[in-house]
Amino acid sequence: MLEKIKFPSFVVILIFLLIFTLGVCVSVGTLHIPLVETFTILLEQIFQLNPTSDATYSGVIWQIRLPRVLMGLVIGAGLALCGVVMQAIVQNPLADPYLLGISSGAYLGATIFIILGGSLIGIISNMGLTLVAFFGALFAAIVVLFLASYKSKMTTTKLILSGTIINAACTACANFIIAMSGTDNTIARITYWTMGSLASSKWDSLLLPLCSVLIIVIFFLTQYRPLNAMLQGDETAITLGINILFYRKLYLVIVALLTGILVSISGIIGFVGLIIPHISRAIVGANHKRLIPVSILLGAIFLMVVDAIARTIIDNVELPIGIFTALVGAPFFAYIMIKKNYNFSK
């Protein structure tokens, strides 16, 4: 809990840390750029000032690194938000954005596209992988919601079980396709995609996730009261006058759409939507009025840092982001398990 620093001051500190982290992550790489030079170039580009910086530095920052770092910021914030909402919806500390089988649906879509080839989509082959992965994620989410509400009201148990079923089915179908038709090249490409990467980030691919995350962040910042009630359990929420079924379906649809967009662009980046909400909850408590903004900021900072490590830790080699998020996530959950005074709902 925040004891010595007031919450608004803490948020301001996180915002400044976010800006500083963005500058550092843009500076590091094969070509190291001084931090002062980086911020000078960013200010010149943003405010259209007369350029005084090195043209090579400016090109590397503005055309290559900044779109990627901003993509990490957006996806980290989006996954952290989705994780917070999912944990409240199902009242489960192990819930994450992929609980509904969304990642396995995207995995199936990506597998179909990579192995069967972009020729199936012809005109949109440049965006084919992203598009097919998104539709795979969306299909999985729709089927899960259908199963969870079929012939009876939707419950958290049915949601989790339905997600498990669809996850197993989509994964099995994808693995079957790989076993029957995969080559060394396609299998390597699929494996790399499933571990997550921001390498393909460009300015034109940033608009959709940025707008989606921004709109949904604004929406959920106004939803802290229903989320607080849902976290306490269905009976408590109903007693407080919350229409639990309506809000659960609404939030699930929104989270499914956002997660589908993020996964289709970056691949499957695990643990962000799982560990960031817990870290934030340990700092500011379970009240979503505080938890949501802190999770968004920490998620953005975390993924920018992880991506910078993934592309710089080995010279001229870029490692998948999922490797590092898992390396951080596994010991963190070991810590959570043995910590006595951590309470998920308080």
Side-chain angles (χ1 to χ4, degrees), residues 1 38 43 46 62 71 87 89 96-97 105 126 131 159 203-204 213-214 234 245 261 265 271-272 293-294 325 331 339:
M1 290 286 186
T38 296
L43 291 174
I46 292 171
W62 196 253
M71 187 69 82
Q87 288 173 8
I89 290 173
D96 70 356
N126 290 334
L131 193 64
L159 272 171
W203 283 113
D204 56 359
V213 169
L214 185 60
D234 289 5
L245 290 179
I261 291 171
I265 291 170
F271 278 103
V272 178
V294 170
T325 55
K339 187 176 180 183

Side-chain angles (χ1 to χ4, degrees), residues 108-167:
L108 176 58
T111 300
I112 291 172
F113 181 84
I114 291 171
I115 289 184
L116 299 184
S119 59
L120 293 176
I121 309 180
I123 298 175
I124 54 172
S125 59
N126 290 334
M127 289 292 293
L129 178 58
T130 299
L131 193 64
V132 176
F134 171 73
F135 281 118
L138 188 61
F139 171 77
I142 290 171
V143 175
V144 168
L145 293 175
F146 172 77
L147 288 176
S149 58
Y150 184 67
K151 289 190 175 181
S152 63
K153 71 175 184 178
M154 182 186 297
T155 64
T156 57
T157 301
K158 289 182 68 178
L159 272 171
I160 294 171
L161 292 175
S162 299
T164 302
I165 292 168
I166 297 305
N167 179 66

Side-chain angles (χ1 to χ4, degrees), residues 77 110 112 144 170 201 215 224-225 235 251 255 257 270 286 292 294 297 321 328 346:
I112 291 172
V144 168
C170 290
S201 302
I215 292 169
Y224 60 90
R225 288 189 179 91
E235 292 184 2
Y251 294 164
V255 168
L257 287 172
I292 289 176
V294 170
L297 291 169
I321 301 176
V328 172
K346 293 181 180 180

Side-chain angles (χ1 to χ4, degrees), residues 74-79 82 134 209 213 257-267:
V74 169
I75 291 177
L79 289 176
C82 291
F134 171 73
V213 169
L257 287 172
L258 180 56
T259 305
I261 291 171
L262 300 180
V263 170
S264 67
I265 291 170
S266 65

Side-chain angles (χ1 to χ4, degrees), residues 204-223:
D204 56 359
S205 64
L206 182 62
L207 182 61
L208 176 61
L210 176 61
C211 293
S212 302
V213 169
L214 185 60
I215 292 169
I216 293 173
V217 161
I218 293 172
F219 171 75
F220 276 117
L221 285 173
T222 68
Q223 300 297 303

